[in-house]
C-alpha cells in the first residue's frame, strides 16, 4: 500500500518523481477506510467517485506541468466544513441531511492547492465535546486502543490520520478540539492564531474562539497545509489580512537560545503523573537542542475553564438559534403550530450535550445573570489574555502538556459533565487569548500517546512549526503507528 | 441553587423542552456547571473591560456591493417544506 502512514512531504516527492499517482493514493485510502473504518467510525462520508475523479484531474494537471506541493494528496475534512453538494452534518441529527450549496473557504483553498477530498470525518456534535462520544453517528474509536476515545471534538480527523486513512485532515479548535485529539491519537495538530484562517463555511460554535487548522503526522506537513489554508478572506470579517509567510521555508532554524516558558500551573494536580514525566522528558529534548527553560506562571489557568464554559455556550446558544426547523435542518413530524415546530424540531434534533450548552448559554445571557456570568467571564478573559501576553514578553514560547490524561475509556460513567470540561484545562487558554498552539507527539504512557503543547505569540505559527519540526528531527514519537491488525469487522 | 422551574423557563426561552423524566437530572447538572462558574467570583475585575474579540480589533468591512454568493435553488433544496420560493410553516394567522 503506497500511502500507508506516509507523510505529505514524502508522498509529494513520490508524486513528483512519478513513482506513484494520485489515483493510486486515493484507491489505497479508500481501501484502508473500507477495511478499518467499520471499527474506527472516523469517517462518516466517503465520496469514492468524486475522489477518484479529482485524483485523475490532479494526475492530468501534473502531466500538464503543475507542481503544487499538495497536488494529488488525499485529504479528509472534519464534517463541520461546508462542502458543496456533499452532506455536511456537523455530526448532528439536526443537519443529518444538509447538503450545502457552497464550500467553506478552507475547502476551496485546499482544493485549489490540488488536494483531493476523500470525504468527511466524524466529530463531537457541533464540536461540543472532548471525547467524540457526542456524535449522532456514534463514538469514534482510538486506533491505539479501540476501547478508548480519540479525544474531541476533531476525534474523527485525529483517528483517521493516526490510522493512516489519509495523510492529513482538517480540524477545528474552539477550546482544544485540534490539540487534545491530536495528543490522544499521537499525531501533530496546529490551532492557528484566531483570524489566521477563514471561518467562512465552518459551522459556527463559539465565533470568538473557533479556528480551523491542519492535523497531520508532522509539523512539516502542517506547515505545507497551513501555507494553503491561511490568508485573508473577505467573507470572514474577523479574518486577518496580515501577509502569510511561507511556513515551510522557515523550518530549519536552530532553536539554540530559544526561551521556553513552563507554567507551573500546567504541572499541577490536574496532570496525571506519568503524563507529566513524559512531557518533562520531551521538554528536556528542547533543552538538549539549545533551548533555555524558564519557569513562568499563568495563575488564572484554572479560571480559564470557568471562563470558557460561560463564553463558549453563550456564543453557541446564539449561533444555534438559527436551527428552527424552517429553512434547513431537521423538522419534527406534524407540528401543531409554529411554537410546536420550533420546540420539537430543536428538542428532537439536538443531542444532550448540545442542549446542555444551549441551556447554560441562554441562562448566562439572560438579563438576570448577564453581569454575574457573561460580563464577568469576558472580563476574566481579558485578565487571562493579558497573563499570556506578559509571559510571552519574557519567553518565546510556552510549553506543557496538551491534555491532563492519556485517552480515557469509552462510556466512562465515572466522569461527570464538569470532569469532562476539565480535560480542556491546558488548551482553552490559547483560545481565550487567540494565540496559536500546536500539539506534537511526545511519548507514550502504557502504550497510549502523549502530546506536548507549544503556545506561541499572535501570528507566530512559523516559530511554533519550526520548534515542533526541530523536536521531530530529534525524536521519533511522530513516526510510531498503531497496530491495526485485527481491526476489521 | 437554580430550581427545576427556572431551568424549564430557560429551556422555553431557548425553544427546548425538558421531559418530566429528565428534569431532575438536567437540573442537577445545570447546578454543577454553575458551581464551576463560582470561581469567577474570586477574580478582581475592577476596571477591567470585557474582551469580546481576542485580537481586540474592529471587524473588517467590505464594500457594500450586491453579490450573488450562493444559489437560491441550492438553498431551497434544504428546506424541510417549501412551495415555489417560500418556506412553509404551520399557519400563523387564523
Amino acid at each position: 500500500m503506497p500511502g500507508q502512514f506516509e507523510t505529505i512531504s514524502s508522498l509529494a516527492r513520490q508524486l513528483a518523481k512519478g513513482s506513484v499517482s494520485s489515483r493510486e493514493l486515493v484507491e489505497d485510502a479508500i481501501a484502508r477506510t473500507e477495511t478499518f473504518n467499520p471499527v474506527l467510525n472516523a469517517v462518516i462520508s466517503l465520496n469514492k467517485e468524486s475522489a477518484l475523479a479529482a485524483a485523475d484531474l490532479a494526475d492530468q494537471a501534473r502531466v500538464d506541468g503543475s507542481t503544487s506541493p499538495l497536488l494529488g494528496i488525499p485529504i479528509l475534512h472534519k464534517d463541520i466544513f461546508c462542502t458543496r453538494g456533499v452532506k455536511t452534518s456537523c455530526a448532528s441529527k439536526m443537519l443529518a441531511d444538509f447538503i450545502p450549496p457552497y464550500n467553506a473557504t478552507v475547502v476551496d483553498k485546499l482544493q485549489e492547492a490540488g488536494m483531493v477530498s476523500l470525504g468527511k470525518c466524524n466529530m463531537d456534535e457541533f464540536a461540543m465535546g472532548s471525547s467524540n462520544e457526542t456524535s449522532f453517528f456514534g463514538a469514534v474509536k482510538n486506533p491505539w486502543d479501540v476501547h478508548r476515545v480519540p479525544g474531541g471534538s476533531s476525534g474523527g480527523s485525529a483517528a483517521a490520520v493516526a490510522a493512516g486513512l489519509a495523510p492529513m485532515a482538517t480540524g477545528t479548535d474552539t477550546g482544544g478540539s485540534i490539540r487534545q485529539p491530536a495528543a490522544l491519537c499521537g499525531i501533530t495538530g496546529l490551532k492557528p492564531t484566531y483570524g489566521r484562517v477563514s471561518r467562512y463555511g465552518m459551522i459556527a460554535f463559539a465565533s470568538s474562539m473557533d479556528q480551523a487548522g491542519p492535523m497531520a503526522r508532522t509539523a512539516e506537513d502542517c506547515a505545507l497545509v497551513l501555507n494553503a489554508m491561511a490568508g485573508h478572506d473577505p467573507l470572514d470579517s474577523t479574518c486577518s489580512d496580515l501577509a502569510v509567510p511561507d511556513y515551510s521555508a522557515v523550518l530549519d532554524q536552530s532553536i539554540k537560545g530559544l526561551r521556553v516558558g513552563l507554567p507551573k500551573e500546567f504541572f499541577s494536580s490536574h496532570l496525571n503523573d506519568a503524563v507529566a514525566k513524559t512531557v518533562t522528558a520531551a521538554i528536556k529534548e528542547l533543552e538538549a537542542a539549545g533551548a533555555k527553560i524558564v519557569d513562568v506562571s499563568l495563575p488564572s489557568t484554572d479560571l480559564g475553564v470557568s471562563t470558557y464554559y460561560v463564553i463558549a455556550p453563550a456564543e453557541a446558544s446564539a449561533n444555534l438559534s438559527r436551527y428552527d426547523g424552517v429553512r434547513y435542518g431537521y423538522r419534527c413530524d406534524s407540528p401543531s403550530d409554529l411554537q410546536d415546530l420550533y420546540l420539537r424540531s430543536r428538542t428532537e434534533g439536538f443531542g444532550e450535550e448540545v442542549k446542555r450548552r444551549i441551556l447554560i448559554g441562554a441562562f448566562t445571557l439572560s438579563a438576570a445573570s448577564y453581569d454575574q456570568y457573561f460580563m464577568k467571564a469576558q472580563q476574566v478573559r481579558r485578565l487571562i489574555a493579558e497573563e499570556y501576553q506578559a509571559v510571552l514578553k519574557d519567553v518565546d514560547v510556552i510549553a506543557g502538556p496538551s491534555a491532563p490524561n492519556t485517552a480515557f475509556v469509552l462510556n466512562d460513567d465515572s466522569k461527570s459533565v464538569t470532569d469532562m470540561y476539565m480535560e480542556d484545562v491546558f488548551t482553552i487558554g490559547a483560545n481565550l487569548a487567540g494565540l496559536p498552539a500546536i500539539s506534537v507527539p511526545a511519548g507514550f504512557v502504557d502504550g497510549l500517546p502523549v502530546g506536548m503543547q507549544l503556545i506561541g505569540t499572535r501570528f507566530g505559527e512559523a516559530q511554533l512549526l519550526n520548534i515542533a519540526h526541530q523536536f521531530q528531527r530529534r525524536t521519533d514519537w511522530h513516526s510510531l503507528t498503531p497496530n491495526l491488525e485485527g481491526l476489521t469487522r | 441553587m437554580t430550581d427545576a422551574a427556572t431551568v424549564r423557563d430557560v429551556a422555553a426561552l431557548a425553544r427546548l423542552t425538558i421531559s418530566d423524566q429528565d428534569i431532575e437530572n438536567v437540573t442537577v447538572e445545570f447546578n454543577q456547571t454553575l458551581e464551576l462558574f463560582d470561581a469567577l467570583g474570586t477574580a478582581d475585575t475592577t476596571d477591567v473591560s470585557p474582551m469580546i474579540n481576542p485580537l481586540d480589533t474592529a471587524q473588517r468591512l467590505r464594500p457594500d456591493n450586491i453579490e450573488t454568493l450562493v444559489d437560491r435553488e441550492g438553498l431551497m433544496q434544504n428546506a424541510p417544506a417549501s412551495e415555489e420560493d417560500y418556506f412553509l410553516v404551520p399557519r400563523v394567522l387564523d
Side-chain angles (χ1 to χ4, degrees), chain B residues 57-68:
Chain B
T57 52
Q59 297 205 349
R60 303 172 54 82
L61 301 177
R62 61 176 189 266
D64 189 15
N65 298 328
I66 297 171
E67 294 175 56
T68 306

Side-chain angles (χ1 to χ4, degrees), chain A residues 8 11-12 15 22 25 69-75 114-117 167-168:
Chain A
I8 295 175
L11 293 173
L15 284 163
S22 179
L25 294 183
L70 297 174
L71 182 64
I73 303 283
I75 179 178
M115 297 197 87
V116 176
S117 175
M168 76 86 47

Side-chain angles (χ1 to χ4, degrees), chain A residues 99 237 306 331 378 382 458, chain B residues 36 49 51 54 59 78 88:
Chain A
I99 297 177
S237 65
S306 311
R331 175 183 284 199
Q378 301 269 37
R382 181 173 300 284
R458 284 177 181 169
Chain B
L36 181 72
S49 58
M51 185 179 227
Q59 297 205 349
N78 281 292
L88 288 186

Side-chain angles (χ1 to χ4, degrees), chain A residues 160-424:
Chain A
V161 173
L165 307 187
M168 76 86 47
T170 49
T172 62
D173 190 316
T174 305
S177 283
I178 286 175
R179 291 160 287 158
Q180 186 252 19
L184 270 48
C185 288
I187 66 161
T188 307
L190 172 74
K191 180 202 93 73
T193 308
Y194 181 80
R196 181 69 293 182
V197 176
S198 169
R199 293 182 298 110
Y200 178 74
M202 191 174 113
I203 294 171
F205 164 15
S207 304
S208 78
M209 290 181 280
D210 293 343
Q211 185 62 194
M215 303 177 78
R217 308 202 69 79
T218 64
E220 188 181 15
D221 283 1
C222 286
L224 272 171
V225 177
L226 188 63
N227 280 340
M229 281 176 91
H232 177 56
D233 179 7
L235 300 178
D236 173 3
S237 65
T238 61
C239 192
S240 171
D241 61 354
L242 206 68
V244 179
D246 181 347
Y247 297 107
S248 299
V250 291
L251 287 182
D252 283 318
Q253 294 175 8
S254 163
I255 59 168
K256 202 167 176 190
L258 182 91
R259 290 172 64 81
V260 177
L262 297 194
K264 62 180 179 193
E265 295 80 6
F266 279 23
F267 294 85
S268 64
S269 58
H270 299 303
L271 184 60
N272 170 293
D273 288 344
V275 173
K277 275 186 196 157
T278 308
V279 172
T280 304
I283 289 163
K284 289 253 184 266
E285 280 294 338
L286 297 177
E287 197 171 17
K292 186 172 165 40
I293 309 300
V294 182
D295 288 329
V296 298
S297 178
L298 292 166
S300 300
T301 296
D302 279 8
L303 276 182
V305 178
S306 311
T307 307
Y308 175 84
Y309 278 98
V310 170
I311 294 172
E315 293 187 14
S317 78
N319 274 326
L320 272 61
S321 64
R322 72 190 67 178
Y323 302 106
D324 57 6
V326 174
R327 291 150 300 164
Y328 63 111
Y330 176 80
R331 175 183 284 199
C332 65
D333 283 337
S334 312
S336 58
D337 57 26
L338 196 56
Q339 286 304 320
D340 184 46
L341 184 151
Y342 294 152
L343 281 166
R344 283 203 292 123
S345 297
R346 289 169 61 79
T347 302
E348 294 168 16
F350 290 132
E352 292 311 310
E353 182 61 27
V354 173
K355 284 189 276 195
R356 189 178 289 126
R357 296 198 193 191
I358 290 174
L359 207 57
I360 282 289
F363 179 77
T364 60
L365 287 175
S366 64
S369 307
Y370 187 88
D371 286 345
Q372 184 185 353
Y373 294 111
F374 188 67
M375 181 58 79
K376 183 79 179 180
Q378 301 269 37
Q379 290 171 307
V380 178
R381 179 180 191 174
R382 181 173 300 284
L383 295 178
I384 292 169
E386 286 174 352
E387 275 179 17
Y388 274 89
Q389 298 292 351
V391 167
L392 286 166
K393 277 186 184 152
D394 289 338
V395 297
D396 298 303
V397 67
I398 294 167
S402 302
N405 298 295
T406 53
F408 42 93
V409 292
L410 287 155
N411 308 313
D412 182 358
D413 291 339
S414 68
K415 265 185 167 359
S416 70
V417 169
T418 48
D419 286 345
M420 196 68 102
Y421 293 170
M422 288 307 289
E423 285 294 315
D424 305 333

Side-chain angles (χ1 to χ4, degrees), chain A residues 23-41:
Chain A
R23 172 169 267 269
E24 286 172 306
L25 294 183
V26 169
E27 283 174 346
D28 172 52
I30 290 170
R32 284 179 67 76
T33 304
E34 288 181 333
T35 303
F36 299 118
N37 198 55
V39 170
L40 294 174
N41 197 28

